[in-house]
Amino acid sequence: MQNLELLFNPRGIAVIGASPDFGRPGGQTMQVLTGRGYQGGIYPVNPKYDAIAGRPCFSSIESVPQPCDVAVIAVPAAQVPQVVAACGAHGVRYAVVLGGGFREGGEAGRELEAQMLQKARAHGMRLIGPNCLGLVNVHTRAYAAFGSVTKPPYLEPGAVSAVIQSGGFGNSLVIHCAAAGVGFRYVVASGNEADITTPELIEAYVDDPQTRVILAYIEGLGDGRAFLAAARRALAAGKPIVVWKAGNTKQGMRAAASHTANMVGSYDIYRAAFREVGIIEVGDMEEAADFVRRCWDNRPPRARTWPSWRSGGSAVAFADAADAYGLTLARLAPATLQVLRENLPSMAALDNPVDFTAGFISDQNVPRFQRAVEAVLADPAIHQLGLLFATMTGRTGWNGPRRSPRYHGGITSRCSCFRPCRARRHPKCSRCWSRRAFPSSAR
């Protein structure tokens, strides 16, 4: 972390290409820096203006006072190499290059990127990007970024640090995790990774004492050995890495190559490497949020599970998936089974996984359902509780079980049924397998 300390904790930030138009990248950076209360120096650079966002505007980087550790570069690609050179000559240590038009766009862009990197190295500068949305220190509100993370609702401080190779989609992943209650430390959208790469950022997160969980969206890696070394350090430090790897098929590889120009390879190799170093691989936003939240809460999932289903078919599908993921469907104690017999319908299948039948969930059955859940959570053989609600209709089918007031007694985190989950610190999950669309009058 020491090598990148002033990148994540800059004493001053220059915004080159700053704009009073807060719809433009340089304008968004100025708006969020001034509006969110960043305590370091804020230096807009643009010869067209005298002031931006209430701050005096400088005609060039050479006139910006020191210390200024980070330059956010929001100018056309053709201008970037010379701007980087000027920043380096002025003593700026790091640059975040927001714009595209580099190697992801073809040979001319590849040459521009090489020139930019040569200028940076001549002055000992380090670069994030190009073709990226930048970085955020959520704790200090240092935004060297633009895009959705610079707009409300803002990220809350926490112990998760993220590196995302896609800006817009990666930010959506971060925001989805934040909506699930996850707090963030650092977020870096790394783009083309011409200089600072995903493995180096993971190394920095491992060294950061306030980072407990690492989230990564990866399309490709230029140095697989460096990535494995960083992941092994994270594993040894007890910092879980949750990875969404994209670009796994032929079509996905082509898309990744034109998106961030990252090197992609056989997904089988990535998957084997992830398993070797203990990486948690996810495949969608819901799954990512679930795993990050569990790891952040210091509650990594354990192996013995009691799933309870509204549909027997979904119970069978879960049993198959449980086997693939190394989950054991635990046998319930005789006392637990007796409570289930007394409270679930007589036709319910009580052998794990339990099928409590389609018609059981209703307002009048909430107390019985709660007693069944409490008995299962009290069983020492159970580490996790899984609930799956198959097809739901009407308002519940449209809104989903987490939102429907009718089902607050059964499955939302606010309900009395899940109070014992929170008290015993059991991981829980609930999901509606499918929803039917209903006309607007039913929504």
Side-chain angles (χ1 to χ4, degrees), residues 48-69:
K48 297 179 182 178
Y49 306 103
D50 295 325
I52 295 176
R55 305 290 176 121
C57 195
F58 298 88
S59 60
S60 66
I61 188 64
E62 289 85 356
S63 56
V64 168
Q66 292 289 359
C68 179
D69 299 308

Side-chain angles (χ1 to χ4, degrees), residues 369-408:
F369 190 49
Q370 180 176 342
R371 287 192 290 271
V373 169
E374 287 175 338
V376 169
L377 292 175
D379 193 312
I382 299 303
H383 294 156
Q384 299 183 69
L385 167 65
L387 291 172
L388 190 144
F389 295 77
T391 304
M392 290 184 173
T393 59
R395 292 184 184 275
T396 301
W398 179 259
N399 294 322
R402 292 180 187 269
R403 301 178 186 174
S404 174
R406 183 179 175 217
Y407 285 84
H408 277 181

Side-chain angles (χ1 to χ4, degrees), residues 265-427:
S266 167
Y267 174 56
D268 289 339
I269 295 174
Y270 277 99
R271 184 168 52 187
F274 292 164
R275 289 174 178 171
E276 179 184 335
V277 293
I279 283 173
I280 301 168
E281 188 179 7
V282 298
D284 61 49
M285 291 194 183
E286 291 283 350
E287 193 176 20
D290 285 344
F291 274 103
V292 169
R293 190 173 59 225
R294 290 285 75 78
C295 295
W296 182 47
D297 287 344
N298 286 323
R299 289 189 282 170
R302 292 187 287 172
R304 288 180 289 177
T305 304
W306 182 73
S308 177
W309 311 118
R310 190 182 181 187
S311 162
S314 56
V316 175
F318 180 92
D320 285 339
D323 210 43
Y325 284 93
L327 294 174
T328 300
L329 303 185
R331 290 190 177 277
L332 299 173
T336 306
L337 290 171
Q338 182 58 36
V339 175
L340 297 186
R341 290 188 191 98
E342 293 170 356
N343 288 279
L344 297 183
S346 59
M347 70 285 292
L350 302 184
D351 191 27
N352 197 4
V354 170
D355 176 8
F356 55 77
T357 71
F360 177 64
I361 293 297
S362 64
D363 292 340
Q364 59 268 31
N365 284 334
V366 164
R368 295 169 60 191
F369 190 49
Q370 180 176 342
R371 287 192 290 271
V373 169
E374 287 175 338
V376 169
L377 292 175
D379 193 312
I382 299 303
H383 294 156
Q384 299 183 69
L385 167 65
L387 291 172
L388 190 144
F389 295 77
T391 304
M392 290 184 173
T393 59
R395 292 184 184 275
T396 301
W398 179 259
N399 294 322
R402 292 180 187 269
R403 301 178 186 174
S404 174
R406 183 179 175 217
Y407 285 84
H408 277 181
I411 43 183
T412 70
S413 59
R414 292 178 287 172
C415 78
S416 58
C417 282
F418 279 157
R419 286 175 190 150
C421 297
R422 295 192 293 272
R424 294 186 177 90
R425 296 183 67 80
H426 278 68

Side-chain angles (χ1 to χ4, degrees), residues 1 4 16 74 91 192 217 238 255-256 328:
M1 185 66 186
L4 301 180
I16 302 174
N192 287 11
Y217 171 85
T328 300

Side-chain angles (χ1 to χ4, degrees), residues 31 234 248 348:
Q31 182 182 40
N248 302 326

Side-chain angles (χ1 to χ4, degrees), residues 115-325:
Q115 293 175 20
M116 174 194 70
L117 193 57
Q118 181 183 25
K119 301 290 187 184
R121 287 176 173 167
H123 294 281
M125 284 185 72
R126 303 300 310 276
L127 304 176
I128 293 290
N131 185 30
C132 73
L133 295 188
L135 72 89
V136 180
N137 180 332
V138 180
H139 289 233
T140 66
R141 301 180 179 180
Y143 287 81
F146 79 105
S148 53
V149 293
T150 68
K151 301 172 184 177
Y154 298 109
L155 301 178
E156 293 293 333
V160 178
S161 289
V163 52
I164 48 182
Q165 290 183 342
S166 166
F169 184 74
N171 278 353
S172 296
L173 173 61
V174 167
I175 290 169
H176 189 86
C177 290
V182 172
F184 283 88
R185 170 81 166 143
Y186 303 127
V187 176
V188 180
S190 56
N192 287 11
E193 298 189 356
D195 180 28
I196 297 175
T197 62
T198 290
E200 190 171 358
L201 290 166
I202 292 174
E203 293 271 8
Y205 296 160
V206 173
D207 291 336
D208 175 40
Q210 295 188 57
T211 294
R212 295 207 314 266
V213 181
I214 299 167
L215 171 65
Y217 171 85
I218 295 173
E219 293 180 354
L221 295 167
D223 189 341
R225 288 186 176 89
F227 177 79
L228 290 176
R232 287 190 183 98
R233 286 195 63 219
L235 183 64
K239 298 188 178 187
I241 301 180
V242 178
V243 170
W244 186 345
K245 171 65 179 71
N248 302 326
T249 65
K250 289 183 179 179
Q251 293 184 104
M253 290 178 186
R254 285 197 297 271
S258 63
H259 178 213
T260 55
N262 275 304
M263 295 174 64
V264 294
S266 167
Y267 174 56
D268 289 339
I269 295 174
Y270 277 99
R271 184 168 52 187
F274 292 164
R275 289 174 178 171
E276 179 184 335
V277 293
I279 283 173
I280 301 168
E281 188 179 7
V282 298
D284 61 49
M285 291 194 183
E286 291 283 350
E287 193 176 20
D290 285 344
F291 274 103
V292 169
R293 190 173 59 225
R294 290 285 75 78
C295 295
W296 182 47
D297 287 344
N298 286 323
R299 289 189 282 170
R302 292 187 287 172
R304 288 180 289 177
T305 304
W306 182 73
S308 177
W309 311 118
R310 190 182 181 187
S311 162
S314 56
V316 175
F318 180 92
D320 285 339
D323 210 43
Y325 284 93

